Amino acid sequence: MIKLLSHLSYVAITSPDVEASVDFYVNQVGLTVVDRVDGAVYLRCWGDYYAYSLVVVPGDEPGLVTAAWRTSSPEALEEAAQRVEAAGVQGEWIDVHKIGRAYRFTGPWGHTLTLHWDVTRHHDTEGDAASIYPDRPSRRSKVAGAPRQLDHVTIATSDVDGFVKWYVDVLGFRFMARTVLDEAPISVFSVLTTNEKSHDLGVVLDGSTRAGRVNHYAFWVDTREELLIAADILGENGYPIEYGPSIHGIGEQNFLYYREPSSLRIELNTGGYRNYVPDWEANTWKPSQGSNNFYRNSVMPMSMTESFPPADGPSATEEGVPDEIKDALLNPYAKHGQG
């Protein structure tokens, strides 16, 4: 199979208060508004090569409208669409703002993906937005700790292993690593990638009955120091940090989690490895090894199990998951002399 997908290009999310979310992204995160069309607001990071990487759309609750991947060629787009439909999923060809022709489908676990080749490139060549670096699409943001680019999206699903297999078999994602609980053979997290990053698609276990949910999406900063500065700025301005700063074992990225006004979770990433191995075999981690927090010196807060939109009833780890498994997921180190 030819290489189908190149990289994550944008995510579109819903917010009950679009203007509050947009104000946060502009003044606290450091994104720039590039367009407003029919209530949707299009934003970009200072280092994004295309017209936008985030779309905020009006909605009754926070959630994921779509996550988009650019294909590796026009031919790859056609092939990807054919493979999706051969797998029994019927998508549609649509016209996307400042992208053009794209193929959109809803996968077996309810998540809507958009695939495209055409793009509108962004490059400020003059004025205050132009960079002294010719390869940069625009100058660095004046907001301290502002991300360079969109990094990844992590969705929630009732079957982590099944989700991984479908997206590997159909669209050619590379399966990089997974976490299986110490106490039971239950897969609770996996990472996939379309390039040399450790992941641009994460998958977490969802015990709820609501399909198509998202746990978070992530931006990228160049250095750990910028991540720490972002944490400091958010705290100074009254926005609490949900989890971190720390480092993931899987992927080896430094991380920071916080919420935007809609309550949707955002992660800030930096560091990590690059993997170019075409026949890479995914390793299986246990929580006791520090798959989530490699330092193993803190317990993930219960709030991190929340995905969006809210579940119909109890939260993801509370519905359909035994108490001992929930405890193992939230406090993986206590039973192994590390907590």
Side-chain angles (χ1 to χ4, degrees):
M1 180 172 65
I2 65 171
K3 176 176 168 56
L4 297 178
L5 307 184
S6 174
H7 58 269
L8 179 70
S9 58
Y10 76 88
V11 295
I13 62 170
T14 50
S15 172
D17 188 338
V18 169
E19 292 308 318
S21 293
V22 169
D23 179 77
F24 177 81
Y25 286 120
V26 171
N27 294 306
Q28 304 301 326
V29 181
L31 273 57
T32 302
V33 173
V34 294
D35 246 333
R36 292 174 177 267
V37 181
D38 297 330
V41 183
Y42 296 76
L43 303 101
R44 63 180 299 275
C45 305
W46 62 268
D48 284 323
Y49 294 107
Y50 306 146
Y52 55 86
S53 60
L54 175 65
V55 187
V56 184
V57 178
D60 293 335
E61 51 191 356
L64 180 69
V65 177
T66 189
W69 271 263
R70 193 180 186 204
T71 60
S72 61
S73 67
E75 295 77 17
L77 175 59
E78 303 299 326
E79 174 72 13
Q82 291 172 17
R83 291 186 63 86
V84 168
E85 297 190 358
V89 173
Q90 184 63 51
E92 62 177 338
W93 291 98
I94 60 173
D95 186 74
V96 178
H97 180 63
K98 289 194 173 179
I99 285 177
R101 184 172 181 263
Y103 182 76
R104 182 165 291 176
F105 70 94
T106 300
W109 287 271
H111 304 89
T112 299
L113 270 63
T114 301
L115 310 179
H116 64 97
W117 166 250
D118 294 334
V119 293
T120 297
R121 300 178 189 275
H122 184 99
H123 200 162
D124 292 309
T125 57
E126 58 185 28
D128 290 342
S131 173
I132 59 174
Y133 292 85
D135 292 334
R136 287 184 181 177
S138 59
R139 69 167 50 188
R140 185 179 290 271
S141 170
K142 295 179 181 179
V143 176
R148 179 187 282 262
Q149 290 169 319
L150 178 68
D151 189 67
H152 69 264
V153 61
T154 294
I155 60 83
T157 180
S158 59
D159 182 356
V160 172
D161 292 340
F163 184 100
V164 168
K165 186 177 188 308
W166 196 90
Y167 281 86
V168 168
D169 291 348
V170 176
L171 289 174
F173 279 88
R174 285 201 298 155
F175 176 30
M176 304 303 291
R178 69 171 182 161
T179 299
V180 173
L181 293 179
D182 290 271
E183 287 75 9
I186 298 176
S187 294
V188 295
F189 180 66
S190 285
V191 288
L192 304 97
T193 191
T194 57
N195 46 60
E196 79 282 0
K197 296 193 302 184
S198 68
H199 68 295
D200 53 10
L201 177 60
V203 190
V204 299
L205 180 64
D206 188 350
S208 79
T209 58
R210 189 164 189 177
R213 300 207 297 158
V214 63
N215 185 268
H216 67 270
Y217 74 95
F219 294 116
W220 174 265
V221 291
D222 289 347
T223 67
R224 181 173 179 269
E225 287 69 29
E226 288 177 272
L227 185 146
L228 297 177
I229 289 171
D232 192 57
I233 294 297
L234 288 166
E236 290 275 32
N237 290 333
Y239 295 96
I241 303 304
E242 185 175 20
Y243 189 31
S246 189
I247 185 171
H248 292 310
I250 288 182
E252 301 180 26
Q253 294 106 330
N254 292 276
F255 69 82
L256 171 72
Y257 293 95
Y258 58 93
R259 303 288 190 102
E260 65 121 285
S262 76
S263 80
L264 189 67
R265 180 179 300 105
I266 301 169
E267 182 182 8
L268 204 58
N269 265 187
T270 192
Y273 62 74
R274 294 294 182 262
N275 184 311
Y276 303 90
V277 181
D279 55 351
W280 176 256
E281 294 186 7
N283 287 305
T284 295
W285 288 65
K286 299 294 181 68
S288 61
Q289 295 175 293
S291 56
N292 182 38
N293 183 339
F294 193 69
Y295 296 140
R296 292 170 284 185
N297 60 356
S298 65
V299 176
M300 184 178 74
M302 173 70 81
S303 63
M304 286 291 296
T305 68
E306 297 172 3
S307 291
F308 310 91
D312 296 328
S315 68
T317 55
E318 291 177 336
E319 182 178 306
V321 179
D323 288 342
E324 62 270 20
I325 302 301
K326 179 174 65 176
D327 292 342
L329 183 61
L330 295 174
N331 189 8
Y333 317 126
K335 296 181 181 179
H336 305 275
Q338 299 164 319

